[in-house]
Amino acid sequence: MKPLQSIKKFYFLDYFYIMLASVEKQSQPADVFDIFKKLKQKHALGESKYKKLTADDEYLDAKQRQNQEKKFYYTFTQVVVESKEYELIREDEGNKLALTEKGRNLLKQHKNDGVWEFNRSIFTLMEDRYNGFRSFVEFLYHANPHRAGVLIFPHYSPLQLGFNRKNIQTTADIFYYADTLRKKLEKDILLHLKQTVSLQEKNDEILDKLINDKDNILPAKQKDSFAAKDYNKITKRIRDFWITYFLKDMYKCQYAMATFDLWIYRAKQIGIIHATESYPFLNGKLVYPTSVVVKSTNSADFTEIHKYEDGHHLYLHTPKQDDFQEEFVDAMVDGYFSLRKTSRNYFVNLSSLCEIVSYNLKISSHDFERFLNIIYRMNLMGELRIRISLEVDKLPEETNMMYLKREPVKVDGSYRNIIAIDVTKRRAEL
């Protein structure tokens, strides 16, 4: 098996599709790259783990465009290499690129069966070479066996903890912020991981590192001011320190966060692991498995999606409608009212509700959407014990956001982003 760190540096499995679609039309690398860029724009694919909402070339000067082109070409070359590895494309004489039979079949699958099945096929190709998804599913359960593999990576800016930038000027101010952050992290660990830990020693460690930094970014004397230009550098180092602490010290992960994120966010697109940085009751990242690796299972709620040479199987949690419908409705109601506690509005954010329900039931966001569509159709026919109202508030492209950090939910053929649930009226009618 190949080392997991050798995976190429891009998150979206959509990149395999746009590569195949580009090579189908052109063969010269420069021409393929031109189509690749256009499809990248069409599918809103960024270099990060978030989809990009703004136009790639909007408001850029010549130098910025040149730097952007280099980034795009780097991503392009990464996708080319990995596509060759899975034998989806080949390089012919004269450096021309061409589709293999496997690549053509995958393009047909994308057209006929959709993105979800296409991604499953890419998963199989990846897992045959790396066993990476199995490794990370097993890692999650091992890292937190008492909470079914749930991991948190909380992070808070000074502003999120009530600190105004203009009031953070001295070393003493940084110490006060760091200590407040430490206490908040300890509370999050207790709340989400059910563990009581003291982070005082680690907090002292990061402060010592900042004071003893070779660039002298934080003065040793408490009353001294640090350079204004170093504010972001200081707060970023504190944030990165704690993220690394959680991954390496608390969860004992042998891989760097860059490798961890690449596998986790690819796994999310297949439904094997869920990851979010928008969970309503946590500032930071929440990660948990929605699958298991075992030799066998008698549960009808788990579907086998891969078999390994040692006799183990990867089973995805895919509950069946008849057995799961009532549980899903209950989770929707509970999640809705938990969000209502922090809002006076009748409508709440649908993506936030998706995160809560998916976490409580340990299902993928794909299955959340699938079950929501089922019960919404029942709701329209008057067959549900609750009443659901779905509306569109603002579409992502109508906001000032640059990146789409939460996927919109498609219900009854349209994207919706706010939801209201009425329990009493429906019960009265029944």
Side-chain angles (χ1 to χ4, degrees):
M1 291 294 166
K2 296 191 66 174
L4 303 192
Q5 302 95 317
S6 62
I7 191 173
K8 298 309 172 185
K9 294 178 176 58
F10 60 92
Y11 291 93
F12 291 108
L13 300 180
D14 307 60
Y15 274 122
F16 289 109
Y17 165 70
I18 70 171
M19 175 58 67
L20 297 178
S22 300
V23 175
E24 182 185 38
K25 291 182 170 59
Q26 294 289 344
S27 59
Q28 293 291 350
D31 297 329
V32 174
F33 179 51
D34 285 340
I35 298 175
F36 181 87
K37 286 189 295 182
K38 293 174 183 176
L39 291 177
K40 177 182 183 300
Q41 179 77 24
K42 179 180 178 181
H43 290 266
L45 301 178
E47 276 65 50
S48 75
K49 51 185 171 285
Y50 304 119
K51 291 200 171 180
K52 192 174 178 67
L53 294 173
T54 56
D56 283 328
D57 58 354
E58 197 172 10
Y59 310 121
L60 299 182
D61 59 30
K63 184 173 179 57
Q64 289 171 325
R65 287 174 189 268
Q66 186 179 26
N67 291 335
Q68 182 191 70
E69 188 84 354
K70 290 179 180 178
K71 290 181 180 179
F72 290 174
Y73 191 73
Y74 175 78
T75 302
F76 172 74
T77 58
Q78 295 280 289
V79 183
V80 166
V81 171
E82 198 165 345
S83 297
K84 286 180 182 178
E85 180 183 338
Y86 305 142
E87 300 176 349
L88 303 178
I89 64 175
R90 67 176 187 271
E91 189 172 334
D92 292 339
E93 187 176 350
N95 296 324
K96 290 183 178 181
L97 298 174
L99 291 177
T100 63
E101 183 179 357
K102 189 185 297 184
R104 285 192 294 270
N105 289 336
L106 270 180
L107 263 182
K108 290 179 183 177
Q109 184 182 41
H110 191 283
K111 179 180 179 180
N112 296 331
D113 302 328
V115 174
W116 187 253
E117 293 303 322
F118 176 87
N119 287 349
R120 287 287 183 85
S121 295
I122 294 294
F123 152 77
T124 300
L125 296 174
M126 293 179 65
E127 197 68 346
D128 284 343
R129 284 161 176 75
Y130 289 92
N131 274 4
F133 296 110
R134 171 183 179 171
S135 296
F136 279 98
V137 168
E138 291 179 327
F139 161 73
L140 294 178
Y141 283 111
H142 180 74
N144 190 11
H146 304 297
R147 296 286 292 171
V150 175
L151 305 189
I152 60 166
F153 298 89
H155 51 76
Y156 299 89
S157 67
L159 185 61
Q160 289 170 322
L161 293 179
F163 290 85
N164 192 307
R165 167 67 184 90
K166 66 181 181 181
N167 295 328
I168 301 181
Q169 305 287 337
T170 68
T171 295
D173 297 332
I174 290 294
F175 270 56
Y176 183 38
Y177 157 64
D179 193 56
T180 304
L181 174 61
R182 171 190 65 80
K183 294 174 181 176
K184 180 60 177 171
L185 294 177
E186 290 175 349
K187 289 180 180 178
D188 281 342
I189 292 170
L190 179 61
L191 175 63
H192 296 284
L193 303 179
K194 307 303 180 188
Q195 297 181 39
T196 301
V197 299
S198 172
L199 301 178
Q200 184 62 60
E201 185 176 335
K202 301 303 293 186
N203 189 57
D204 294 340
E205 180 182 330
I206 178 57
L207 292 173
D208 286 342
K209 286 183 176 180
L210 289 170
I211 290 175
N212 295 311
D213 182 82
K214 61 182 177 60
D215 295 328
N216 298 316
I217 61 174
L218 193 64
K221 294 182 179 179
Q222 292 278 310
K223 64 179 182 179
D224 287 353
S225 298
F226 57 86
K229 65 179 179 61
D230 289 331
Y231 173 79
N232 289 334
K233 185 186 294 186
I234 292 170
T235 55
K236 183 180 184 302
R237 288 194 183 180
I238 292 174
R239 172 184 170 176
D240 291 348
F241 174 86
W242 284 117
I243 289 176
T244 300
Y245 163 77
F246 274 84
L247 186 67
K248 297 287 189 180
D249 293 53
M250 194 160 187
Y251 302 136
K252 311 299 182 186
C253 183
Q254 62 177 308
Y255 300 107
M257 181 57 77
T259 300
F260 178 83
D261 272 354
L262 281 168
W263 281 102
I264 294 303
Y265 282 95
R266 286 193 183 190
K268 179 181 179 179
Q269 296 166 69
I270 307 159
I272 297 168
I273 294 170
H274 189 74
T276 177
E277 298 189 34
S278 302
Y279 190 74
F281 309 120
L282 173 71
N283 277 86
K285 178 158 55 187
L286 177 70
V287 180
Y288 56 89
T290 50
S291 57
V292 295
V293 178
V294 291
K295 286 196 171 182
S296 64
T297 178
N298 294 322
S299 174
D301 287 343
F302 286 85
T303 302
E304 179 189 329
I305 61 172
H306 201 77
K307 182 178 180 179
Y308 300 96
E309 292 181 356
D310 64 356
H312 284 73
H313 305 255
L314 180 60
Y315 291 95
L316 180 64
H317 186 215
T318 52
K320 304 300 181 288
Q321 178 182 346
D322 293 341
D323 301 328
F324 192 66
Q325 184 176 297
E326 287 299 310
E327 187 177 355
F328 183 80
V329 171
D330 288 342
M332 287 281 292
V333 172
D334 291 344
Y336 170 74
F337 282 106
S338 68
L339 289 171
R340 282 286 306 275
K341 290 179 181 178
T342 59
S343 172
R344 296 180 180 179
N345 296 325
Y346 183 53
F347 283 89
V348 301
N349 186 280
L350 179 55
S351 293
S352 295
L353 183 58
C354 172
E355 296 292 2
I356 294 174
V357 173
S358 297
Y359 172 72
N360 287 337
L361 299 178
K362 299 301 183 291
I363 59 175
S364 67
S365 52
H366 174 80
D367 272 344
F368 172 86
E369 189 172 284
R370 176 168 66 93
F371 277 102
L372 179 56
N373 273 276
I374 292 171
I375 67 167
Y376 186 64
R377 286 192 290 270
M378 295 176 63
N379 168 76
L380 295 178
M381 296 168 61
E383 298 175 352
L384 204 62
R385 58 182 170 85
I386 61 174
R387 176 177 291 161
I388 297 174
S389 299
L390 289 164
E391 299 291 344
V392 176
D393 182 15
K394 281 187 177 181
L395 295 173
E397 58 267 26
E398 296 174 326
T399 71
N400 294 323
M401 294 187 301
M402 179 177 291
Y403 295 101
L404 181 61
K405 295 189 175 182
R406 293 194 286 187
E407 290 286 344
V409 180
K410 182 176 281 189
V411 187
D412 202 27
S414 301
Y415 287 112
R416 315 293 179 92
N417 50 23
I418 55 175
I419 182 172
I421 296 177
D422 192 325
V423 178
T424 57
K425 287 186 178 181
R426 179 62 73 198
R427 284 178 175 169
E429 292 172 5
L430 295 175

